[in-house]
Amino acid sequence: MFSFLDMVNHYLGYFNINVTVKSRIYTILGLLGDGYLFYVAIRLLKNQYYSRGLLFLALAIGLFYFAIGNLFYYFTNKQFKYDISPWLTRKLHLHPRQPENKQANPVNAGINMPANGLFDQQHLLPAKINTTPTDQENLKSIVAILIQQQLLVPDYQGQDDAQIANLLKHNDGKPVYAIGPGMMLPYFELRHENGKYVIYGGVNQAQVLPLGTIKQIGLQSISAADQLAVDFFLANVVIVGGPYKIKGRSGVFEHQQDYQLAVQVAYQKNEQKEQR
């Protein structure tokens, strides 16, 4: 039985399976193995091998407890009431510690002055964008340059896992991102090309790349918004996403995610359009 579980574990390593799905598979396999341990324990007790049978029974009960915890964690949204994993983590000092004098890194938060100037907050609307694989690769290359130049530092603002766990406890479990709330793209502009509003951006004006096409402004599609007597300007283009940490059973766990753009558009009345 254990050879079978080891073989399954070995072959699962060849596949790029989502962490949660893989954990669910391991949980089910663990329950099967635990059932085998109960069977062995009962057989030993029936044959009057009491010491060995009780040892197997105790082991099976202990593993069954942790399997129940995994069932709650990976298959439901409920917290296992008698979960001792956090207590074990604290006792075994499993949280990695950072140097005590390390301060939150101010880099990501300190350069968010809009590249296109300041706009009236009442005239700003969120925008949704379409991105192609090429756009995503362009953004990835820009982020790599920003990280290399230490303009963007994905270090969770210098917080260790214990601090992040405390933060997750007070923000309804929302993920904590390595780059924090994000960083303003150093340079960005909006170009009207072939009837589309294309966002260009980069580290500077000399190195701009297409990063996406606006598909919606506020609650209106771009085609409907383009019929209004207003002009649109890019107000904010912020790099968000990337690696993040969420709460797990015994601490915090990091997950990977693509970097994305959060876009705000400013609008202004165009009297010439209005007179048409």
Side-chain angles (χ1 to χ4, degrees), residues 17 29 50 59 77 114 117-118 121 129 131 141 144 160-161 167 178 182 198 210-211 213 219 240 243 254 264:
I17 303 175
L29 292 176
Y50 297 115
L59 180 61
N77 293 321
L118 300 173
Q121 292 292 321
I129 65 174
T131 57
S141 66
D160 61 25
D161 280 356
L167 186 60
V198 183
L211 300 174
T213 304
L219 298 177
V240 297
E254 186 173 62
Q264 279 189 314

Side-chain angles (χ1 to χ4, degrees), residues 167-263:
L167 186 60
L168 288 168
K169 192 182 300 182
H170 294 88
N171 69 349
D172 299 325
K174 294 179 181 177
V176 175
Y177 287 90
I179 63 171
M183 170 191 166
M184 189 78 67
L185 197 63
Y187 181 83
F188 51 85
E189 62 183 60
L190 187 63
R191 299 181 187 177
H192 200 188
E193 298 178 345
N194 301 320
K196 297 180 179 180
Y197 287 92
V198 183
I199 298 173
Y200 281 79
V203 179
N204 53 52
Q205 189 174 6
Q207 301 175 0
V208 293
L209 297 168
L211 300 174
T213 304
I214 294 181
K215 67 175 181 179
Q216 183 175 322
I217 297 177
L219 298 177
Q220 292 187 310
S221 66
I222 187 62
S223 57
D226 202 24
Q227 300 301 314
L228 301 175
V230 295
D231 291 324
F232 298 109
F233 309 90
L234 276 183
N236 299 308
V237 178
V238 179
I239 300 171
V240 297
Y244 65 93
K245 291 186 177 181
I246 57 173
K247 185 180 178 183
R249 283 186 58 201
S250 58
V252 297
F253 295 91
E254 186 173 62
H255 295 267
Q256 298 299 318
Q257 177 182 306
D258 288 336
Y259 288 98
Q260 301 171 11
L261 294 178
V263 179

